[in-house]
């Protein structure tokens, strides 16, 4: 009787995915198949692939790699994270209710509310982080729950297992956007989710040079349905994008662990600084979701947010000092999860697509700044923050 081997760790999965499997020349690194179409063997006899919108070997290799990392059956690779969310929405029928995190990514909020306005389904944005509200949230029959945890940009934590159990009780599917942590730090399918999705633009690729998405299903049946829809509506990702994303994902574990470690150091530093009003980082014991994050996640992640004393005057000065000049090691830009550190002002950038009311409801104030911590040295980043905070303090003194 053969002994069952323990499952490979994420580092091993990412390093070994599709290695030495090239049937043509035994290329060690999986080749890039750019061809749009594939020859049929003869009359009514097609091979494994026919047309790249429906299927492509390079894209499939990435889908398989990410599904293995997430513990799912298979994954559909999409042209962007939003294309992935649009794909998940195809499961819903007119009249169906989707319940989504009230502080989800601004683009998700825009997509779900616009489709709901057009009658494609109904949507309720709710505070899923508060277990006390679950009974009232689930009072109405729903078809899907869409969780983003940690949420963007306040890093609120939702109990995936508890929400997925409630959803299951009501016959609803649970979808989790795992973009902020990646499978290295959180495995939503193991906690009861049916679908996990990513903007692979962020940590999975990690190199700031590909926009892409992934939708990974727990069951093959769900995957087959989503793969059918992805081909039908044409949201599948390109071969070269998949090739680059797979190359980026090879180093996912060391990058994410390092970024998470540095973010913890910077969150501690910001918490102790007199120019700072509030810090939002699940690794801080003062964070309301700290205990849950410690149970549910394998690390606290590379994202943090904070507000400054002194309102917009301090904020503008902080941004100018942190991101100006040729030796700045923070850049004022959207996106996240890359090797380079970024500062974002959610109210005017990532969350500008939300109405001011929706932002206020989600607690996203105009004085909030979000940091995506990259792979720069922690001491260098601390010094850069210290300098920018001093400049902010001088501006309001
Ligand atoms: N989900 C989250 C949590 C995001 O932050 C983003 C983009 O910032 C998206 C989805 C959308 O992904 P994309 O920009 O790749 O379409």
């Amino acid at each position: 009787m053969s002994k069952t081997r323990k499952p490979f760790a994420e580092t091993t999965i990412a390093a070994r995915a599709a290695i030495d499997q090239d049937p043509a020349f035994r290329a060690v690194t999986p080749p890039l198949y750019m061809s749009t179409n594939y020859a049929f063997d003869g009359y009514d006899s097609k091979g494994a692939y026919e047309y790249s919108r429906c299927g492509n070997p390079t894209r499939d290799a990435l889908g398989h790699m990410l599904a293995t990392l997430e513990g799912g059956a298979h994954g559909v690779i999409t042209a962007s994270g939003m294309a992935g969310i649009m794909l998940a929405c195809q499961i819903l029928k007119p009249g169906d209710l989707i319940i989504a995190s009230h502080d989800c990514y601004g683009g998700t909020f825009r997509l779900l509310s616009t489709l709901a306005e057009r009658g494609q389904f109904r949507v309720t944005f709710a505070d899923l982080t508060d277990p006390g509200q679950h009974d009232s949230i689930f009072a109405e029959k729903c078809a899907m729950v869409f969780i983003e945890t940690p949420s963007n940009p306040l890093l609120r934590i939702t109990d995936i297992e508890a929400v997925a159990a409630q959803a299951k009780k009501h016959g609803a599917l649970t979808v989790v956007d795992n973009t902020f942590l990646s499978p290295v730090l959180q495995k939503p399918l193991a906690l009861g989710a049916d679908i996990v999705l990513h903007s692979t633009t962020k940590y999975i690729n990690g190199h700031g040079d590909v926009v892409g998405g992934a939708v990974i299903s727990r069951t093959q049946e769900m995957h087959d349905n989503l793969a059918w829809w992805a081909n039908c509506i044409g949201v599948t990702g390109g071969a070269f994008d998949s090739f680059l994303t797979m190359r980026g994902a090879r180093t996912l574990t060391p990058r994410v662990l390092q970024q998470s470690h540095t973010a913890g150091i910077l969150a501690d530093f910001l918490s102790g600084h007199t120019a700072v009003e509030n810090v939002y980082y699940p690794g801080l014991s003062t964070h309301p979701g700290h205990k849950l994050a410690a149970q549910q996640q394998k690390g606290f992640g590379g994202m943090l947010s904070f507000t400054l004393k002194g309102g917009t005057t301090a904020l503008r000065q902080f941004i100018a000092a942190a991101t100006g000049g040729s030796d700045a090691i923070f850049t004022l830009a959207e996106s996240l999860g890359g090797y380079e550190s970024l500062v974002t002002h959610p109210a005017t950038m990532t969350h500008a697509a939300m109405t001011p009311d929706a932002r206020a409801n989600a607690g996203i104030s105009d004085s909030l700044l979000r940091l995506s911590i990259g792979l720069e040295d922690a001491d260098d980043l601390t010094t850069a923050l210290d300098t920018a905070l001093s400049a902010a303090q001088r501006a309001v003194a």
Side-chain angles (χ1 to χ4, degrees):
M1 212 170 75
S2 72
K3 252 175 68 189
T4 358
R5 119 183 117 62
K6 86 172 172 48
F8 285 134
E10 289 83 10
T11 11
T12 311
I13 295 168
R16 294 302 307 181
I19 294 292
D20 184 18
Q21 287 176 22
D22 168 36
F25 301 110
R26 291 209 55 195
V28 173
T29 296
L32 164 58
Y33 286 94
M34 288 296 284
S35 185
T36 53
N37 48 353
Y38 295 81
F40 279 53
D41 294 333
Y43 171 76
D44 198 19
S45 169
K46 61 178 186 191
Y49 294 97
E50 52 189 299
Y51 185 57
S52 265
R53 170 163 39 75
C54 334
N56 172 281
T58 311
R59 192 171 67 225
D60 273 359
L62 174 63
H64 186 67
M65 176 200 214
L66 298 184
T68 313
L69 285 169
E70 286 284 8
H74 203 351
V76 179
I77 300 303
T78 54
S80 67
M82 290 316 302
I85 298 170
M86 185 67 182
L87 176 61
C89 287
Q90 304 311 311
I91 296 172
L92 298 167
K93 294 190 277 303
D96 278 353
L97 175 67
I98 172 168
I99 295 170
S101 298
H102 72 318
D103 54 352
C104 58
Y105 167 60
T108 306
F109 179 89
R110 176 175 55 197
L111 178 71
L112 298 181
S113 34
T114 308
L115 293 179
E117 272 162 32
R118 301 179 97 197
Q120 284 185 237
F121 46 74
R122 292 174 302 129
V123 66
T124 298
F125 293 98
D127 183 359
L128 294 167
T129 64
D130 180 1
Q133 291 192 35
H134 286 175
D135 281 346
S136 65
I137 291 171
F138 285 97
E140 197 180 348
K141 188 176 162 42
C142 69
M144 185 184 281
V145 183
F146 188 98
I147 305 172
E148 202 179 303
T149 182
S151 69
N152 181 7
L154 286 168
L155 293 313
R156 292 194 183 104
I157 309 294
T158 297
D159 187 333
I160 299 175
E161 200 164 18
V163 173
Q166 282 268 8
K168 201 168 175 195
K169 218 164 67 190
H170 291 82
L173 293 172
T174 300
V175 179
V176 177
D177 184 333
N178 202 23
T179 298
F180 261 45
L181 290 179
S182 92
V184 172
L185 300 182
Q186 180 167 270
K187 294 266 183 16
L189 297 178
L191 296 168
D194 300 286
I195 294 171
V196 56
L197 53 85
H198 284 273
S199 165
T200 56
T201 315
K202 315 295 177 347
Y203 287 101
I204 301 261
N205 177 52
H207 289 70
D209 50 12
V210 185
V211 171
V215 184
I216 296 141
S217 303
R218 191 154 47 79
T219 66
Q220 186 65 40
E221 190 188 359
M222 178 70 75
H223 169 78
D224 291 344
N225 183 30
L226 289 169
W228 185 90
W229 272 109
N231 176 46
C232 177
I233 60 176
V235 292
T236 45
F240 188 48
D241 286 357
S242 300
F243 178 83
L244 286 177
T245 302
M246 191 159 189
R247 184 162 95 152
R250 299 278 184 203
T251 55
L252 179 65
T253 304
R255 281 189 284 106
V256 168
L257 293 182
Q258 178 68 33
Q259 285 163 295
S260 187
H261 176 71
T262 307
I265 294 172
L266 298 180
D268 282 341
F269 169 74
L270 287 170
S271 303
H273 201 289
T274 50
V276 175
E277 195 174 51
N278 278 312
V279 182
Y280 304 90
Y281 184 66
L284 295 173
S285 57
T286 49
H287 187 282
H290 175 68
K291 245 178 89 187
L292 177 58
Q295 279 165 20
Q296 176 167 277
Q297 305 172 191
K298 261 171 65 185
F300 298 110
M303 300 297 298
L304 63 96
S305 297
F306 64 101
T307 49
L308 285 173
K309 291 175 189 158
T312 18
T313 311
L315 186 134
R316 280 170 190 255
Q317 197 52 49
F318 174 88
I319 291 174
T323 66
S326 56
D327 61 353
I329 55 169
F330 279 94
T331 300
L332 180 64
E334 296 187 350
S335 202
L336 59 106
Y339 54 74
E340 78 290 15
S341 287
L342 303 174
V343 184
T344 304
H345 181 234
T348 56
M349 297 167 75
T350 46
H351 289 66
M354 277 170 119
T355 60
D357 275 358
R359 272 201 304 275
N361 183 34
I364 305 167
S365 77
D366 286 354
S367 59
L368 186 77
L369 285 170
R370 188 188 79 181
L371 300 181
S372 170
I373 304 306
L375 292 170
E376 302 88 346
D377 179 75
D379 278 349
D380 289 341
L381 290 170
T382 308
T383 306
L385 286 183
D386 196 27
T387 307
L389 290 171
S390 300
Q393 258 175 333
R394 281 197 302 277
V396 291

